[in-house]
Amino acid sequence: ADLCYSMDMHVVIEWLNAVFSSMDKELKAMGSKVVKVETFQNLILVVSGCPEKSADHAQHCARAAVLMKKAAVRVIRPDGQSTTVRIGISSGSISAGVVGAQSPRFSVFGDAVNTASRMASTADASSRSSISVHLSETTAGLLKKEFLEEMRKQEGLMLSKRGDGMQIKGKGFMRTYYWKGEGLPTSPKMRAVSPVLRGASPLLRGETSPSMHKFWGDLPLPDASLDYEAFGLGPSTPPSSCAQRVSVASYFEI
């Protein structure tokens, strides 16, 4: 948002297109495990669990968060600084479809989407040298020990409570969790965005357009045998609200 006040909007759009395009490449490599639903201004929303059903939807979305963050921070902002990104993930029931007849737009709805947005807006910014993913308690409880250990070894990521909880706008008091790592390996190759628009942006040339996806799907209940206490989550059990459409909504705020 700060760039909108200090730079030409065409340059800002070119930068955002470069960031989103780099993240899209990582999503494409993951196949149908994680689907990008929409982008809005400086936000991107991805969902796991639809259309491909998977009991590991939380892991898929968390892995995507790491890969997409690495891709995003390699793009230099128009003001010469490194791009940063705020990441939030939540899990729960959602509904999806195209709403309206005039300029129809595919959307997803549900508490999981709203909560993921709140997780992102209250997250610490991830940079080239660190990553910080803000998780709802539901998502933290769905991340399996084997996956957390794998990511700890590969990326230095550790799961921990965010204090004793916090007030979240529109949600009230919530216990949330941080999945953090410092000094993560990041490719030294940086992609610069020209401070002067020279007609090189495929977005501005109209060569790219957002794709629309329609998907519906039900997933089974989360694994009730997960060792929640091993990660400081307490004696909580998987929420019954996840019994029907279960997905993980992940918001990225650039």
Side-chain angles (χ1 to χ4, degrees):
D2 56 325
L3 292 177
C4 297
Y5 299 105
S6 59
M7 306 204 73
D8 185 281
M9 279 306 302
H10 290 135
V11 176
V12 176
I13 292 174
E14 185 181 23
W15 163 64
L16 285 174
N17 184 55
V19 173
F20 289 158
S21 295
S22 65
M23 297 169 86
D24 286 346
K25 290 181 180 179
E26 297 297 336
L27 283 177
K28 184 177 181 180
M30 294 193 71
S32 58
K33 293 178 181 178
V34 183
V35 178
K36 183 175 77 170
V37 177
E38 64 179 340
T39 57
F40 177 71
Q41 295 182 355
N42 65 327
L43 302 174
I44 180 171
L45 172 64
V46 303
V47 174
S48 180
C50 322
E52 182 178 295
K53 298 180 182 181
S54 172
D56 296 326
H57 52 84
Q59 279 79 238
H60 294 327
C61 217
R63 192 183 301 276
V66 175
L67 296 174
M68 293 171 72
K69 173 266 175 184
K70 287 183 177 181
V73 300
R74 285 197 291 265
V75 181
I76 298 297
R77 290 174 19 141
D79 60 2
Q81 300 181 36
S82 297
T83 295
T84 59
V85 59
R86 299 181 188 275
I87 309 169
I89 306 178
S90 186
S91 305
S93 301
I94 66 168
S95 295
V98 177
V99 178
Q102 184 68 27
S103 300
R105 178 181 177 185
F106 179 80
S107 301
V108 292
F109 306 91
D111 183 66
V113 179
N114 298 331
T115 303
S117 176
R118 298 303 184 196
M119 294 296 99
S121 63
T122 54
D124 291 341
S126 296
S127 63
R128 288 198 69 205
S129 60
S130 66
I131 183 171
S132 179
V133 183
H134 197 193
L135 309 172
S136 67
E137 186 172 25
T138 306
T139 300
L142 289 171
L143 296 177
K144 298 179 180 179
K145 290 187 293 184
E146 296 80 5
F147 172 77
L148 291 171
E149 180 62 17
E150 173 192 346
M151 298 306 287
R152 183 190 67 80
K153 292 179 179 179
Q154 292 182 0
E155 307 289 349
L157 290 164
M158 298 290 292
L159 180 67
S160 63
K161 287 184 179 180
R162 185 176 184 178
D164 296 323
M166 61 187 302
Q167 288 292 328
I168 302 294
K169 183 178 179 180
K171 298 291 298 179
F173 182 82
M174 292 183 66
R175 290 185 177 87
T176 65
Y177 296 79
Y178 262 144
W179 196 39
K180 283 189 169 185
E182 299 290 338
L184 296 178
T186 303
S187 171
K189 183 178 180 181
M190 303 291 283
R191 180 179 177 184
V193 177
S194 171
V196 179
L197 193 65
R198 298 172 182 170
S201 170
L203 176 68
L204 299 180
R205 291 199 302 263
E207 293 179 7
T208 61
S209 60
S211 59
M212 300 182 69
H213 305 273
K214 296 182 180 180
F215 54 81
W216 299 86
D218 293 332
L219 288 176
L221 281 167
D223 184 356
S225 65
L226 292 181
D227 187 1
Y228 291 84
E229 294 185 359
F231 300 101
L233 302 182
S236 60
T237 57
S240 59
S241 61
C242 291
Q244 297 301 316
R245 296 187 179 91
V246 182
S247 294
V248 177
S250 180
Y251 256 106
F252 295 80
E253 181 176 330
I254 308 301

